[in-house]
Amino acid sequence: MSAVVSHDTQASSIDDALPVVSLEHGKKSFGTTQVLRDISLSIDKGDVLAIIGPSGGGKSTLLRCLTLLERLDGGALTYGSLTVAQDEGGIAHYGGPAVEHEARNRFGLVFQNFNLFPHYTVLENLCDPQMRVLKRSRQEAEARARELLGRMDLGDKESMVPCELSGGQQQRVAIARALAMDPEVLFFDEPTSALDPELTQGVLRVIRDLANESMTMAIVTHEMTFARDVADRVMFMDGGTIIEQGPASQVIDHPTQQRTRDFLASY
Ligand SMILES: Nc1ncnc2c1ncn2[C@@H]1O[C@H](COP(=O)(O)OP(=O)(O)OP(=O)(O)O)[C@@H](O)[C@H]1O
Ligand SMILES: [Mg+2]
């Protein structure tokens, strides 16, 4: 059986040497509240980045800016060689709808609350975006969907609708749906925080398998053991800034900053 992760993505070979995604000096405010103060990060192909930090620190806003659900006020955002926004005099200038459309084909996003289409079957949830966005035939879309559902232990669930599944199963469908689009990078925003501990383990296992297959991922998580075991790098955010980042075992086991130590002490 072929791998869950398709490395045959749309990026050209010149993109292979560049970070999959890069943000420089990202800034974002809501009204007078500065939520992202000056965030720079880049994620290379095959990298797994875990983003941790206290509530309100700006983690979701960062992911929302990276995935174009929010607009940066300032900063530069690129996907490979594709410039999505460039900074001119401290203001982020976006490249326009065609560029944003191309960028959206490069990433997948998995939220806390699954966001499946409630009236579609599991199979249709996976097939509809493939046919609509990637213009795959129904036959191609179903083949890819079934391959992924099989790998997620959901092979017998394709005719069910989301409310007939457990939360953990729904989240695995959401991950399969994102993977069906062959993204270059997957973003997760607290993928297990709505699940009980047992269902959490099933979802974490799937993400761990993806990491082993070198899927490029950025994961906002409160699961510190998971972050240490699965991530290559951990980034600790608080108050809209990156307080500390580095190899996962270093940041989690030997943080250099007092704020990181205080945060981790609560786990
Ligand atoms: N659409 C919005 N309008 C106004 N303020 C917002 C909006 N979205 C986020 N904020 C504010 O931005 C700050 C950062 O929120 P964000 O959701 O990014 O934090 P977080 O690190 O993801 O927290 P949590 O761990 O609780 O999910 C918070 O103070 C929040 O109230
Ligand atoms: Mg959040």
Side-chain angles (χ1 to χ4, degrees):
M1 189 183 278
S2 63
V4 170
V5 179
S6 169
H7 292 288
D8 180 24
T9 51
Q10 292 126 350
S12 63
S13 54
I14 44 165
D15 280 5
D16 282 349
L18 297 167
V20 175
V21 56
S22 163
L23 173 66
E24 284 172 35
H25 304 298
K27 297 184 186 74
K28 174 76 185 170
S29 296
F30 292 109
T32 54
T33 314
Q34 260 191 302
V35 177
L36 301 180
R37 285 168 188 277
D38 185 355
I39 301 282
S40 297
L41 68 90
S42 73
I43 305 174
D44 291 330
K45 201 171 167 161
D47 246 10
V48 179
L49 172 70
I51 302 170
I52 62 170
S55 184
K59 305 179 298 297
S60 294
T61 304
L62 173 60
L63 283 202
R64 291 176 63 80
C65 287
L66 293 174
T67 55
L68 310 182
L69 294 171
E70 294 284 357
R71 298 205 151 229
L72 294 158
D73 300 327
L77 176 64
T78 56
Y79 276 86
S81 59
L82 182 73
T83 300
V84 180
Q86 51 192 344
D87 192 282
E88 287 167 24
I91 311 245
H93 287 274
Y94 282 77
V99 169
E100 288 172 40
H101 178 80
E102 198 183 329
R104 283 196 177 90
N105 284 339
R106 295 187 178 211
F107 60 75
L109 179 57
V110 177
F111 296 99
Q112 181 179 345
N113 293 319
F114 329 130
N115 294 85
L116 297 171
F117 298 118
H119 304 300
Y120 282 5
T121 63
V122 165
L123 188 67
E124 209 48 35
N125 262 285
L126 267 69
C127 289
D128 176 77
Q130 294 184 68
M131 294 189 297
R132 235 176 343 98
V133 181
L134 301 181
K135 311 293 178 208
R136 285 184 183 153
S137 68
R138 172 161 291 279
Q139 203 182 3
E140 286 173 302
E142 287 188 356
R144 180 77 175 129
R146 292 199 167 109
E147 175 195 348
L148 287 163
L149 291 172
R151 290 290 298 261
M152 305 272 161
D153 283 331
L154 295 165
D156 55 343
K157 305 283 189 254
E158 66 170 57
S159 305
M160 295 190 162
V161 288
C163 70
E164 295 173 316
L165 302 179
S166 74
Q169 289 166 342
Q170 290 185 52
Q171 190 60 303
R172 283 183 280 136
V173 173
I175 295 171
R177 182 179 59 173
L179 286 168
M181 305 300 283
D182 295 334
E184 289 168 30
V185 52
L186 262 188
F187 296 102
F188 294 86
D189 193 352
E190 299 195 38
T192 60
S193 59
L195 304 176
D196 69 35
E198 196 182 330
L199 296 179
T200 293
Q201 290 315 311
V203 171
L204 294 183
R205 201 173 313 122
V206 164
I207 300 174
R208 204 181 288 264
D209 288 347
L210 292 174
N212 289 336
E213 291 192 31
S214 300
M215 182 76 212
T216 311
M217 296 185 280
I219 309 163
V220 173
T221 184
H222 291 288
E223 301 283 339
M224 294 308 145
T225 312
F226 170 76
R228 182 180 50 205
D229 293 350
V230 174
D232 301 300
R233 277 190 301 143
V234 169
M235 193 171 112
F236 173 66
M237 271 184 88
D238 190 10
T241 53
I242 300 171
I243 305 294
E244 160 160 23
Q245 62 178 320
S249 55
Q250 185 229 294
V251 173
I252 292 184
D253 295 331
H254 307 287
T256 60
Q257 302 297 309
Q258 190 58 41
R259 267 156 96 181
T260 319
R261 284 197 281 270
D262 292 344
F263 172 73
L264 290 169
S266 61
Y267 282 87

